[in-house]
């Protein structure tokens, strides 16, 4: 009987070990699958959040307007600015009526040492530099996007595209804007666009002109949105909206909006304000 019991004991132990091994294998497989599933869930949700908030192509890029450099009113000195006063409203803005009563964000528009940045001579001349560092087809597509933005704003202010930069009031260039340093950070921030302006004196009348830089990273609807936004600055809205439904919202969004009633209401209020631009300067001392 003893010889017969040993195999029985052995068989019993073998029968007990097989289920235990399978349980551990299945448990480990389940844990591994759970971990992988959890990681996939996290990654999927992170990507979804990024896509919902901003397009990945410009999730860290923001619009910017650059503060005015020191005033230079060459070739005359000494020069004293005349008292600011408003110009007549352009007929396009005079006819504008907001039937939706959408309001505006005029309170966000900054003034300058010469008053508000309004144009007094129309049409405002826009020069669009054809890119030379990309193939002709891409270059034309880029120009067409900017032209579309010009066309959209032309419904509210008279604009004219010109072929020579020297006669332009606004120049648009495909070029990477300089990095921006935030006041409380040492980390520079990329920008999708930048708009700057300068003053000049012509026949003793104070004028201004703008330069717009559009990042080469902007394409398609985002290029159009950037051009539309920056042209809004150059036409006088020197500030940003806090609503994503306005084209002058401070940051790019996934679905860029067209020019809104609030944008036009704000533009109209700007053109009702006093300015020194377009008026004769006081003092006519010539440069020595």
């Amino acid at each position: 009987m003893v010889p017969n019991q040993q195999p029985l004991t052995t068989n019993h132990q073998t029968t007990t070990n097989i289920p235990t091994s399978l349980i551990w294998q299945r448990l480990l497989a389940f844990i591994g699958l759970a971990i992988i599933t959890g990681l996939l869930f996290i990654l999927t949700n992170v990507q979804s959040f990024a896509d919902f908030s901003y397009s990945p192509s410009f999730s860290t890029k923001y619009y910017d307007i650059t503060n005015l450099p020191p005033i230079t009113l060459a070739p005359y000195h000494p020069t004293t600015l005349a008292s600011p006063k408003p110009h007549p409203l352009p007929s396009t803005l005079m006819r504008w009526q907001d039937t939706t009563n959408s309001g505006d964000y005029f309170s966000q528009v900054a003034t300058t040492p010469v008053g508000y940045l309004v144009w007094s001579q129309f049409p405002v001349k826009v020069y669009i530099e054809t890119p030379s560092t990309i193939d002709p087809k891409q270059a034309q597509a880029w120009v067409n996007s900017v032209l579309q933005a010009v066309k959209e704003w032309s419904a509210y202010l008279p604009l004219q595209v010109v072929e020579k930069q020297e006669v332009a009031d606004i120049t648009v260039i495909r070029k990477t804007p300089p990095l921006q340093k935030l006041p409380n950070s040492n980390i520079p921030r990329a920008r999708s666009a930048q708009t700057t302006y300068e003053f000049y004196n012509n026949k003793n009348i104070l004028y201004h002109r703008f330069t717009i830089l559009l990042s080469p990273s902007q394409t398609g609807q985002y290029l159009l949105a950037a051009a539309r936004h920056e042209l809004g600055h150059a036409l006088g809205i020197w500030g940003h909206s806090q609503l994503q439904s306005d084209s002058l919202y401070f940051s790019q969004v996934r679905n860029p909006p067209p020019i809104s009633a609030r944008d036009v209401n704000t533009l109209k209020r700007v053109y009702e304000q006093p300015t020194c631009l377009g008026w004769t300067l006081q003092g006519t001392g010539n440069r020595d």
Side-chain angles (χ1 to χ4, degrees):
M1 294 295 295
V2 173
N4 293 332
Q5 290 178 356
Q6 184 64 32
L8 180 62
T9 303
T10 304
N11 289 339
H12 175 73
Q13 289 176 347
T14 303
T15 303
T16 303
N17 288 339
I18 291 174
T20 302
S21 176
L22 287 174
I23 290 172
W24 277 108
Q25 290 177 3
R26 291 173 180 175
L27 180 61
L28 290 174
F30 177 80
I31 293 173
L33 181 61
I35 292 174
I36 294 172
T37 302
L39 289 174
L40 288 174
F41 177 81
I42 293 172
L43 291 173
T44 300
N45 279 275
V46 168
Q47 182 63 36
S48 297
F49 178 79
D51 285 346
F52 178 79
S53 300
Y54 301 103
S55 168
S57 64
F58 53 70
S59 59
T60 60
K61 296 178 181 178
Y62 295 80
Y63 291 119
D64 183 66
I65 50 181
T66 298
N67 292 332
L68 174 70
I71 292 180
T72 302
L73 299 175
Y76 299 97
H77 79 89
T79 303
T80 303
L81 297 176
S83 298
K85 51 186 177 181
H87 290 281
L89 267 180
S91 59
T92 45
L93 287 180
M94 189 177 298
R95 293 192 299 268
W96 164 255
Q97 296 293 330
D98 176 19
T99 58
T100 61
N101 296 318
S102 300
D104 59 59
Y105 47 93
F106 176 74
S107 62
Q108 303 298 315
V109 178
T111 187
T112 74
V114 301
Y116 289 87
L117 298 174
V118 304
W119 298 98
S120 58
Q121 295 187 354
F122 299 97
V124 178
K125 298 177 176 62
V126 182
Y127 172 76
I128 304 170
E129 182 180 84
T130 301
S132 58
T133 57
I134 54 179
D135 67 67
K137 185 176 180 180
Q138 290 178 318
Q140 189 57 53
W142 187 90
V143 170
N144 289 343
S145 292
V146 180
L147 284 173
Q148 177 61 33
V150 172
K151 180 181 178 181
E152 292 176 8
W153 280 111
S154 294
Y156 310 107
L157 281 178
L159 306 179
Q160 177 187 0
V161 177
V162 296
E163 299 297 325
K164 296 181 179 180
Q165 184 175 0
E166 54 267 27
V167 301
D169 301 307
I170 302 171
T171 297
V172 186
I173 303 172
R174 182 182 183 271
K175 182 179 179 180
T176 302
L179 295 176
Q180 180 188 33
K181 288 187 177 180
L182 299 178
N184 299 320
S185 174
N186 294 324
I187 301 175
R189 186 178 69 174
R191 295 180 283 200
S192 61
Q194 181 190 50
T195 295
T196 57
Y197 64 90
E198 63 179 352
F199 298 135
Y200 67 98
N201 183 336
N202 184 18
K203 298 181 180 179
N204 206 38
I205 297 177
L206 181 62
Y207 296 103
H208 67 316
R209 54 187 163 224
F210 278 88
T211 300
I212 295 173
L213 303 182
L214 299 177
S215 173
S217 67
Q218 301 297 291
T219 58
Q221 64 173 336
Y222 304 116
L223 169 59
L224 173 58
R228 182 190 296 127
H229 179 109
E230 299 305 319
L231 279 171
H233 287 321
L235 294 177
I237 306 178
W238 200 244
H240 288 120
S241 168
Q242 300 301 308
L243 297 185
Q244 293 188 20
S245 55
D246 298 329
S247 65
L248 270 290
Y249 181 61
F250 67 87
S251 177
Q252 287 187 330
V253 294
R254 184 180 181 184
N255 297 309
I259 298 170
S260 69
R262 280 167 45 87
D263 291 325
V264 185
N265 290 341
T266 302
L267 185 69
K268 185 172 182 177
R269 288 200 61 184
V270 168
Y271 276 76
E272 294 171 340
Q273 306 307 313
T275 184
C276 298
L277 292 168
W279 297 110
T280 302
L281 295 165
Q282 303 292 325
T284 58
N286 291 330
R287 179 187 293 271
D288 294 334

